[in-house]
Amino acid sequence: MIGFGTALRFVFIHLFCLFYTAKVLLHIAVRYLTEPRAEFWYVKKRPHPPPCLQNHDYGVSNYITVNDVKLHYVENGDPAKPLMLFIHGFPEFWFSWRYQLKEFSKDYWVIAVDMRGYGDSDKPKGLKSYRIENMVQDIKELVHELGREKFTLVAHDWGAVIGWDFVAKHMDMLEKYILMGAPSRKVLRELMMTDKEQLKMSWYTFFFQMPCIPEIYFRINDLEALYEVFRKHNEPHELEAYKYTFARKGALTEPINYYRANLTASLKTVRPPANVRHVPGLYLLGEHDAYISQKSGPLQKKEFNNLEFLMVPKVCHFLQQADPVAVNSIMRQFLIHSEHNE
């Protein structure tokens, strides 16, 4: 039997899905009617990667198979040093950590992975493949396959959502963690149910439940949506890196499936260990984040003890790219300070 609360939640989600899908379709129709041209529906062919994706200053590519999925990653630094693992969000891939790969390779063996479904990693089919528990297991097995028991986790957006579950379930594997731009599932759901601001900010999570239409939306006008997301903090050649990656056939469906697989999933989430001091953590949010409420910080601190929350001034959701100097400085200060306090 389906409980009344579950049924109400199902209806609520799908009503919002229909509402926001109608708004997006109206927007597309108006755009096409006012700017009618054949190219509106096409994506330019990009058979070769732009030079910035072959820049060895960021690191070198490698592959590893974990949890029955082959993952692509870029590594930099000395493998004899402590491991720092970077997990990206949507719509990103390893390249979103290029500034951190260069900066922290001085002191760490740094690895930025393409999560399953993204970039040059495998793209298993089916929504169940993109449940959060699968990505948590990917990270665990990846670290062990790299020959490590402990590491520092750095993650953004969807990577952070997955990261909170990883911290709660596998805190014994962590030296420290830095999560950016998204709270845990528990905090996000609480905010969406109690805070109108967060509910409005999360409109796209409902829109992404619709099959096919979100992919069409992203592809119109040669991936114009990616341009709008990244143009403020990426040079034209860097924008081409994102367009090259997401222009491939089917390259958008699996990343969007992260939303489809988890919004209506069980409310049961992994809780951090109680009555113990957690490993040092840092939660960062851009001052002008358009997707996550600043109220998430205090709520997140209630869930994880030994956690700092900081706002990065004058930056948007994609803070590690928008102001890498400031973000890298904050990260380094946290890493040094937490070492002194151990």
Side-chain angles (χ1 to χ4, degrees), residues 134-187:
N134 289 320
M135 282 76 80
V136 168
Q137 186 65 22
D138 289 351
I139 295 170
K140 178 185 177 183
E141 292 191 20
L142 171 62
V143 172
H144 287 158
E145 284 295 316
L146 292 170
R148 299 303 176 92
E149 298 297 326
K150 294 272 191 177
F151 72 107
T152 294
L153 174 65
V154 184
H156 173 253
D157 186 78
W158 255 110
V161 176
I162 296 162
W164 292 114
D165 269 36
F166 187 92
V167 174
K169 190 174 183 180
H170 301 296
M171 194 174 292
D172 58 309
M173 292 181 63
L174 294 169
E175 299 283 359
K176 304 169 186 66
Y177 64 94
I178 302 170
L179 305 183
M180 311 177 188
S184 66
R185 288 188 286 169
K186 175 178 177 293
V187 167

Side-chain angles (χ1 to χ4, degrees), residues 290-310:
Y291 309 108
I292 301 295
S293 170
Q294 297 178 15
K295 296 174 185 175
S296 64
L299 290 174
Q300 200 64 62
K301 290 189 69 172
K302 290 181 181 179
E303 187 176 1
F304 290 81
N305 65 58
N306 203 18
L307 176 69
E308 295 182 44
F309 169 59
L310 292 175

Side-chain angles (χ1 to χ4, degrees), residues 13-138:
I13 288 172
H14 285 82
L15 282 175
F16 271 77
C17 171
L18 291 171
F19 173 72
Y20 286 116
T21 300
K23 287 189 70 173
V24 171
L25 288 174
L26 179 61
H27 171 74
I28 293 172
V30 170
R31 284 286 308 280
Y32 183 67
L33 290 172
T34 55
E35 307 171 27
R37 61 185 191 280
E39 293 83 1
F40 187 83
W41 302 107
Y42 295 128
V43 174
K44 175 184 171 183
K45 290 185 178 180
R46 294 173 169 87
H48 305 294
C52 61
L53 288 183
Q54 300 170 310
N55 185 346
H56 287 179
D57 287 346
Y58 302 138
V60 295
S61 285
N62 213 327
Y63 293 85
I64 194 167
T65 298
V66 299
N67 201 17
D68 298 322
V69 176
K70 185 171 75 171
L71 299 179
H72 167 255
Y73 64 90
V74 171
E75 63 175 306
N76 203 347
D78 184 351
K81 292 183 177 180
L83 173 64
M84 179 180 284
L85 181 64
F86 295 99
I87 307 296
H88 65 80
F90 176 89
E92 300 174 285
F93 63 116
W94 74 263
F95 187 67
S96 63
W97 296 110
R98 58 196 179 279
Y99 299 110
Q100 289 70 40
L101 284 168
K102 290 181 68 175
E103 172 65 24
F104 292 96
S105 63
K106 305 167 189 174
D107 307 292
Y108 292 86
W109 182 31
V110 289
I111 288 180
V113 64
D114 282 340
M115 295 296 281
R116 62 164 66 196
Y118 281 87
D120 291 322
S121 289
D122 279 354
K123 299 168 178 58
K125 301 300 181 183
L127 291 184
K128 288 184 179 180
S129 297
Y130 298 95
R131 292 279 178 87
I132 285 177
E133 55 266 27
N134 289 320
M135 282 76 80
V136 168
Q137 186 65 22
D138 289 351

Side-chain angles (χ1 to χ4, degrees), residues 214-263:
E215 287 91 327
I216 294 171
Y217 169 74
F218 269 93
R219 289 180 64 83
I220 61 173
N221 244 351
D222 193 29
L223 296 161
E224 183 183 57
L226 285 180
Y227 172 80
E228 292 300 324
V229 167
F230 291 120
R231 65 184 173 85
K232 291 183 180 179
H233 42 268
N234 283 269
E235 298 295 329
H237 69 281
E238 294 171 327
L239 284 167
E240 273 300 303
Y242 286 98
K243 288 191 173 186
Y244 166 80
T245 298
F246 288 101
R248 303 176 197 178
K249 185 178 180 181
L252 285 160
T253 295
E254 274 67 45
I256 295 173
N257 279 346
Y258 278 59
Y259 294 90
R260 294 172 177 144
N262 293 288
L263 185 63

Side-chain angles (χ1 to χ4, degrees), residues 271-276 278 305:
R271 299 294 178 88
N275 303 318
V276 297
H278 298 164
N305 65 58

